[in-house]
Amino acid sequence: MSVYQKIKQEAYVCNMQLPKLGLVLFTFGNVSVVDRERSVFAIKPSGVPYEDLSPEKMVIVDFDGNVIEGELRPSSDTLTHAVLYKNWVEIGGIVHTHSTYGTAWAQAQRDIPIFGTTHADHLTTDIPCAPPMADDMIEGDYEYQTGFQIMNHFTDNGLDYKEVEMVLVGNHAPFTWGKDGHKAVYNSAVLETVAQMALLTEQVNPNAPRLKDSLIKKHFERKHGPDSYYGQS
Amino acid sequence: MSVYQKIKQEAYVCNMQLPKLGLVLFTFGNVSVVDRERSVFAIKPSGVPYEDLSPEKMVIVDFDGNVIEGELRPSSDTLTHAVLYKNWVEIGGIVHTHSTYGTAWAQAQRDIPIFGTTHADHLTTDIPCAPPMADDMIEGDYEYQTGFQIMNHFTDNGLDYKEVEMVLVGNHAPFTWGKDGHKAVYNSAVLETVAQMALLTEQVNPNAPRLKDSLIKKHFERKHGPDSYYGQS
Amino acid sequence: MSVYQKIKQEAYVCNMQLPKLGLVLFTFGNVSVVDRERSVFAIKPSGVPYEDLSPEKMVIVDFDGNVIEGELRPSSDTLTHAVLYKNWVEIGGIVHTHSTYGTAWAQAQRDIPIFGTTHADHLTTDIPCAPPMADDMIEGDYEYQTGFQIMNHFTDNGLDYKEVEMVLVGNHAPFTWGKDGHKAVYNSAVLETVAQMALLTEQVNPNAPRLKDSLIKKHFERKHGPDSYYGQS
Amino acid sequence: MSVYQKIKQEAYVCNMQLPKLGLVLFTFGNVSVVDRERSVFAIKPSGVPYEDLSPEKMVIVDFDGNVIEGELRPSSDTLTHAVLYKNWVEIGGIVHTHSTYGTAWAQAQRDIPIFGTTHADHLTTDIPCAPPMADDMIEGDYEYQTGFQIMNHFTDNGLDYKEVEMVLVGNHAPFTWGKDGHKAVYNSAVLETVAQMALLTEQVNPNAPRLKDSLIKKHFERKHGPDSYYGQS
């Protein structure tokens, strides 16, 4: 049995969650799960329908994008995952989808405003939208540069990837991450529902105000931090 | 067998209705059912996925929020339920969700206008939206104060909780209630569909008029009151 | 076996189509099927959940609204069905729903414009929206008067119920009919999808023009009339 | 066994994908698959519900619209398929649906703007919307002329059917094609999701810019052309 069996299995299970949660059409998405000890991650093979996946088909890749194990070509977005794992050292899983509402906000090139507690339960800021990449980044090593575009946007805006586990890439679509693959998938579903609610909120009231700071703080701390009291700890 | 078996069973069945009716993503919702004789209620444990629930996992809590029976931590919204049960003495069940359209109206901080008979079949007023809470209420005992925010809004606006069995909490999401858990769940689904219809109505016609009084009266009385003739009585 | 077994069976099967087609929440809809020889129709009992229905539970009613057979109370909308059967003598089945998009247009009090061939495949005019009823009609025999409101709107606007098999009742919701129960249910689903497409069309282009006459004529005649060539004749 | 068994089987499987992908209501769509050696195609019979289809019921038609094999009448859109197969000699399959969002853009008579990479993964231009047909074309051989309307629009706008595998027919609905039936169905689903995302994008930001050329080029070449690296080649 492969020494990577554990992450292959988790990557498989997490990839299979995407169609169940309505986050992908055909093969428009991928999940990876990292093994920090071995500095590799397991990722979906490129263009393979979800119904044909199995744990064995997951591809093992190192943080420079080299295939370490597996007979299939890894996701075309592999280098973006690699860059993020290499630089954001506490990430355990990454998800990329073209989910409908998240992608609409990315195409609109707008941050998703924090309008309510559903959003504040998960992060205390707007969901950031990184600008479309410069032409030289696109024409160079595109997927590799996409990782840097995300990281640079976080740095430029003082965002911490451990607190804000999701981003829109302008004109493209969402990326999310988390301590493991399951949390990253969870965050993709949260992003999609928050994106839908935010659009509907603006349709109900074009002047809807952002959530006030006291509520942001309260709801985030209910679920996160030393005094959290949500869940079974 | 627990003396609370009956409400645990009903709370379990009602909680399981929420995902079936499309009213929750993950664990974003909870149902409680009261035992008026014993002055306790059964409520969903916090953060436990619906597929892992069982009647035995429901938590029994008194009207001050003390856990009376159960090994799991109750829903983080438990104190809101407790306050409402303590003060609104004819309520038998309470539901809280972050259903998509209801939450959008809550985030937009608008009452849902009564536009048609689907709405009037269930209540004769707009669906009220309580304003976001004051900072001192948020920073204090937040969930406890949420219950008072709801009750105060009803008092200030001359609303009767026995006639209007639903509310939006501004920036947050809907709460509904009823004579038992099933009716409270029913009301959550009604609120969600009425919320969607109201948004679509304004999109079809930004000047759509509210329903006139004669139709409000007629439809409500078809289903409610001494001369009702809907259902099998 | 009841002499009304045939229409009870068809009414049952047709009623069960409503939740399958996503046209009803809970019990917000009903189908009836007529027996022209006996001048009665079978209709859903009031307020009974679809999952509890059976052919035996359908209620047999005459054209004045008297229950002829059955132990349950018939739909609260029964008199509307009765009036339409009595006066529109070629109708074989009637459906009433509160389907989401159809109801939104009814609440907005607008005819649904004929924007494309999906619409023209089924009727050559806008889908008419009858105005909300006058107060004296509402306060009188409401459901009975609803039937007249529909018929009067057709008369006043030169519409033929054999060509236009659907209507919105202002502030209320859709009614559809057809040569039998199946066609009436089919028309309810067509109305809902055309209602959604029309709203989306206006959102894509607020100045979208109505379909031109030559296309209306062509598409309607493909499916209807002596030279139709759609289906297996 | 019919010499056309292979295309009948593929046409059957592809037609059955339409309801599974949510692209059709009732019988509002059809797929055909061509046999280039024999210059015939297999197409859905007209008006037959998907649940009643079988490979044997597919109708074999030549490029002038003559039925070669089969007892049922072919789809009323058959001549449009025939014209496209006859003139666009590298097409292997064609799909026509009235999918909700695609039809809304067709009714709105607008090209679908290329707003993001989901779109650019599949084509490098806006999704073209052919204008509604002239009255003499409609009153003549309508379905035959629909094929010419599509082809003329491509010629007039310098579009290549091998690169742009989809079109909206103004006031009507989408047509898509591809190297085989499966690719044509895939394109119908892509068109529908891109149509939905484009509408939502404009709702989030009415001034959303079109995707810039460098990103269009990059994403299209990831999936297509000599240096593509998407999928398992």
Side-chain angles (χ1 to χ4, degrees):
Chain A
M1 184 180 286
S2 164
V3 295
Y4 310 116
Q5 190 59 29
K6 187 166 168 296
I7 56 172
K8 283 181 167 183
Q9 177 66 28
E10 183 179 336
Y12 167 70
V13 169
C14 289
N15 271 293
M16 296 307 286
Q17 285 295 310
L18 297 187
K20 277 185 203 155
L21 287 163
L23 298 172
V24 294
L25 174 69
F26 299 126
T27 61
F28 303 179
N30 45 72
V31 185
S32 68
V33 173
V34 82
D35 178 336
R36 284 284 170 195
E37 273 187 43
R38 295 184 176 83
S39 294
V40 297
F41 57 96
I43 192 164
K44 181 176 175 299
S46 182
V48 177
Y50 288 95
E51 60 269 30
D52 297 339
L53 289 184
S54 64
E56 288 65 39
K57 288 184 182 162
M58 298 296 124
V59 187
I60 301 297
V61 182
D62 72 17
F63 293 173
D64 295 315
N66 303 303
V67 172
I68 302 300
E69 185 180 292
E71 294 175 17
L72 297 167
R73 187 189 286 179
S75 164
S76 58
D77 298 301
T78 293
L79 276 175
T80 309
H81 293 243
V83 166
L84 294 179
Y85 283 127
K86 189 164 189 171
N87 290 278
W88 286 354
V89 298
E90 297 190 32
I91 290 180
I94 297 174
V95 177
H96 173 51
T97 77
H98 288 226
S99 66
T100 307
Y101 287 87
T103 302
W105 283 88
Q107 294 188 158
Q109 300 184 26
R110 286 187 58 196
D111 297 346
I112 303 177
I114 182 166
F115 279 135
T117 60
T118 318
H119 187 136
D121 281 337
H122 300 95
L123 71 168
T124 62
T125 67
D126 294 353
I127 298 175
C129 181
M133 292 156 67
D135 284 0
D136 59 337
M137 292 175 79
I138 294 167
E139 286 151 17
D141 199 342
Y142 174 63
E143 291 79 11
Y144 184 77
Q145 296 292 351
T146 298
F148 283 98
Q149 185 76 355
I150 292 170
M151 291 192 299
N152 292 344
H153 190 69
F154 269 59
T155 303
D156 293 349
N157 292 275
L159 297 169
D160 180 344
Y161 76 88
K162 285 170 283 186
E163 292 178 2
V164 176
E165 298 183 327
M166 52 188 75
V167 72
L168 306 173
V169 176
N171 280 143
H172 188 167
F175 286 82
T176 66
W177 50 87
K179 69 176 157 62
D180 55 26
H182 295 288
K183 183 69 191 307
V185 170
Y186 172 92
N187 283 335
S188 279
V190 166
L191 183 150
E192 180 65 4
T193 205
V194 167
Q196 182 179 11
M197 285 176 178
L199 172 53
L200 295 173
T201 298
E202 294 192 343
Q203 291 179 335
V204 172
N205 181 0
N207 301 311
R210 292 174 79 260
L211 192 62
K212 60 182 180 174
D213 286 344
S214 54
L215 264 172
I216 292 175
K217 189 163 175 288
K218 182 68 194 181
H219 264 266
F220 191 73
E221 292 178 353
R222 282 190 355 154
K223 280 207 170 180
H224 308 269
D227 300 322
S228 70
Y229 50 94
Y230 183 89
Q232 302 301 330
S233 67
Chain B
M1 183 180 286
S2 164
V3 295
Y4 309 115
Q5 190 60 29
K6 188 166 167 297
I7 56 173
K8 284 181 166 182
Q9 177 67 28
E10 184 180 336
Y12 166 71
V13 169
C14 289
N15 271 292
M16 295 307 285
Q17 285 296 309
L18 297 188
K20 277 184 203 154
L21 288 163
L23 298 172
V24 294
L25 173 70
F26 299 127
T27 60
F28 304 179
N30 45 73
V31 185
S32 68
V33 174
V34 82
D35 178 337
R36 285 285 169 195
E37 273 186 42
R38 296 183 175 84
S39 293
V40 298
F41 58 96
I43 192 165
K44 181 177 176 297
S46 183
V48 177
Y50 288 95
E51 59 268 31
D52 297 339
L53 290 184
S54 64
E56 288 65 39
K57 288 184 181 162
M58 297 297 123
V59 187
I60 301 297
V61 182
D62 72 16
F63 293 172
D64 296 315
N66 303 302
V67 172
I68 302 300
E69 186 180 291
E71 294 175 16
L72 297 167
R73 187 189 287 179
S75 164
S76 58
D77 298 300
T78 293
L79 276 174
T80 309
H81 293 243
V83 166
L84 294 179
Y85 282 128
K86 189 165 190 170
N87 290 278
W88 286 354
V89 298
E90 297 190 32
I91 289 181
I94 297 174
V95 176
H96 173 50
T97 77
H98 288 226
S99 66
T100 307
Y101 287 87
T103 301
W105 283 88
Q107 294 188 157
Q109 300 184 26
R110 285 187 59 195
D111 297 346
I112 303 177
I114 183 165
F115 279 135
T117 60
T118 319
H119 187 136
D121 282 337
H122 300 95
L123 70 169
T124 61
T125 67
D126 295 353
I127 298 174
C129 181
M133 292 155 68
D135 284 359
D136 59 337
M137 292 175 80
I138 293 167
E139 285 151 17
D141 199 342
Y142 174 63
E143 291 79 12
Y144 184 76
Q145 295 292 351
T146 298
F148 283 98
Q149 184 76 355
I150 293 170
M151 291 193 299
N152 291 344
H153 189 70
F154 269 58
T155 304
D156 295 349
N157 291 274
L159 297 169
D160 180 343
Y161 76 88
K162 285 170 283 184
E163 292 178 2
V164 177
E165 297 182 327
M166 53 189 74
V167 73
L168 306 173
V169 177
N171 281 141
H172 189 166
F175 285 82
T176 66
W177 51 87
K179 69 177 158 62
D180 55 26
H182 296 287
K183 183 68 191 308
V185 169
Y186 172 93
N187 284 335
S188 280
V190 166
L191 182 149
E192 180 64 3
T193 205
V194 167
Q196 181 179 12
M197 285 175 179
L199 172 53
L200 295 172
T201 299
E202 294 192 344
Q203 291 180 334
V204 173
N205 182 358
N207 301 311
R210 291 174 79 259
L211 192 61
K212 59 182 180 176
D213 286 345
S214 53
L215 264 172
I216 293 174
K217 188 163 175 288
K218 182 67 195 180
H219 266 265
F220 192 74
E221 292 179 353
R222 285 191 352 157
K223 280 207 171 181
H224 308 269
D227 298 322
S228 69
Y229 50 94
Y230 183 89
Q232 303 300 329
S233 68
Chain C
M1 183 180 286
S2 164
V3 295
Y4 309 114
Q5 190 60 28
K6 187 165 168 299
I7 55 173
K8 284 181 166 182
Q9 177 66 29
E10 183 180 337
Y12 166 71
V13 169
C14 289
N15 271 292
M16 295 307 285
Q17 285 296 310
L18 297 187
K20 277 185 203 153
L21 287 163
L23 297 172
V24 293
L25 174 70
F26 298 127
T27 61
F28 303 179
N30 45 73
V31 185
S32 68
V33 174
V34 82
D35 178 336
R36 285 285 169 194
E37 273 187 44
R38 294 183 177 84
S39 294
V40 297
F41 57 97
I43 192 165
K44 181 177 177 296
S46 183
V48 177
Y50 288 96
E51 59 268 31
D52 297 340
L53 289 184
S54 65
E56 289 64 39
K57 288 183 180 162
M58 298 297 123
V59 187
I60 302 296
V61 182
D62 71 17
F63 293 172
D64 295 315
N66 303 303
V67 172
I68 302 301
E69 184 180 295
E71 294 176 17
L72 297 167
R73 187 190 287 179
S75 164
S76 59
D77 298 301
T78 293
L79 275 174
T80 309
H81 294 242
V83 166
L84 294 179
Y85 283 128
K86 189 165 190 171
N87 290 278
W88 286 354
V89 297
E90 297 190 31
I91 290 181
I94 298 174
V95 177
H96 173 49
T97 77
H98 288 225
S99 66
T100 307
Y101 287 87
T103 301
W105 282 89
Q107 294 188 157
Q109 300 184 26
R110 285 185 59 195
D111 296 347
I112 302 178
I114 183 166
F115 279 134
T117 60
T118 319
H119 187 136
D121 282 337
H122 300 95
L123 71 168
T124 62
T125 66
D126 294 353
I127 298 174
C129 181
M133 292 155 69
D135 284 359
D136 59 336
M137 291 175 79
I138 293 166
E139 285 151 18
D141 199 341
Y142 174 63
E143 290 79 12
Y144 184 77
Q145 295 293 350
T146 298
F148 283 98
Q149 185 75 356
I150 292 170
M151 291 193 300
N152 291 344
H153 190 68
F154 268 58
T155 303
D156 294 349
N157 291 274
L159 298 169
D160 180 343
Y161 75 87
K162 285 168 284 184
E163 293 178 2
V164 177
E165 299 183 327
M166 53 189 75
V167 72
L168 307 173
V169 176
N171 281 143
H172 189 166
F175 286 82
T176 66
W177 50 88
K179 69 176 159 55
D180 55 25
H182 296 287
K183 184 68 191 307
V185 169
Y186 172 92
N187 284 335
S188 280
V190 166
L191 183 149
E192 181 64 5
T193 204
V194 166
Q196 181 180 10
M197 284 176 180
L199 173 53
L200 294 172
T201 299
E202 294 192 343
Q203 291 179 334
V204 173
N205 181 358
N207 300 312
R210 290 174 80 259
L211 192 61
K212 59 183 180 175
D213 286 345
S214 54
L215 265 171
I216 293 174
K217 188 163 174 288
K218 181 68 194 180
H219 265 265
F220 192 74
E221 291 178 354
R222 286 195 346 161
K223 280 207 171 181
H224 308 269
D227 299 322
S228 70
Y229 50 95
Y230 184 90
Q232 302 300 328
S233 67
Chain D
M1 183 181 286
S2 164
V3 295
Y4 309 114
Q5 190 60 29
K6 186 165 168 298
I7 56 173
K8 283 181 167 182
Q9 177 66 28
E10 184 180 335
Y12 167 70
V13 169
C14 289
N15 271 293
M16 295 307 286
Q17 286 295 311
L18 297 187
K20 277 184 202 153
L21 287 164
L23 298 172
V24 294
L25 174 70
F26 299 126
T27 60
F28 302 0
N30 45 73
V31 185
S32 67
V33 174
V34 83
D35 178 337
R36 284 284 170 195
E37 274 186 44
R38 296 184 175 81
S39 293
V40 297
F41 57 96
I43 191 164
K44 181 177 176 295
S46 183
V48 177
Y50 288 95
E51 59 269 31
D52 297 340
L53 289 184
S54 64
E56 289 63 40
K57 288 183 181 162
M58 297 296 124
V59 187
I60 302 297
V61 182
D62 72 18
F63 293 174
D64 295 315
N66 303 303
V67 172
I68 302 300
E69 185 180 292
E71 294 175 18
L72 297 167
R73 186 189 287 179
S75 163
S76 58
D77 297 302
T78 293
L79 276 174
T80 309
H81 294 242
V83 167
L84 294 179
Y85 282 128
K86 189 165 191 171
N87 291 277
W88 285 354
V89 297
E90 297 189 32
I91 290 181
I94 298 174
V95 177
H96 173 50
T97 77
H98 288 226
S99 66
T100 307
Y101 287 87
T103 302
W105 283 88
Q107 294 188 159
Q109 300 184 26
R110 285 186 59 196
D111 297 347
I112 303 177
I114 182 165
F115 279 135
T117 61
T118 319
H119 187 136
D121 282 337
H122 300 95
L123 70 168
T124 62
T125 66
D126 295 353
I127 298 174
C129 181
M133 292 156 69
D135 284 0
D136 60 336
M137 291 174 80
I138 294 167
E139 284 151 18
D141 200 341
Y142 174 63
E143 291 79 13
Y144 184 76
Q145 296 293 350
T146 298
F148 283 98
Q149 185 75 356
I150 292 170
M151 292 193 298
N152 291 344
H153 190 68
F154 269 58
T155 303
D156 294 349
N157 291 274
L159 298 169
D160 181 343
Y161 76 88
K162 285 169 283 185
E163 292 178 3
V164 176
E165 298 183 327
M166 53 189 74
V167 72
L168 307 174
V169 177
N171 280 143
H172 189 167
F175 286 82
T176 66
W177 50 88
K179 69 176 156 65
D180 56 25
H182 296 288
K183 183 68 192 307
V185 170
Y186 172 92
N187 284 335
S188 279
V190 166
L191 182 149
E192 181 65 4
T193 204
V194 167
Q196 182 179 11
M197 285 176 178
L199 173 54
L200 295 173
T201 299
E202 295 192 343
Q203 291 179 334
V204 172
N205 181 0
N207 300 312
R210 291 174 81 260
L211 192 61
K212 60 182 180 175
D213 286 345
S214 55
L215 265 172
I216 292 175
K217 188 164 175 287
K218 182 69 194 180
H219 265 265
F220 191 73
E221 292 178 354
R222 282 191 355 156
K223 281 208 171 180
H224 308 269
D227 299 322
S228 69
Y229 50 95
Y230 183 88
Q232 302 301 327
S233 66

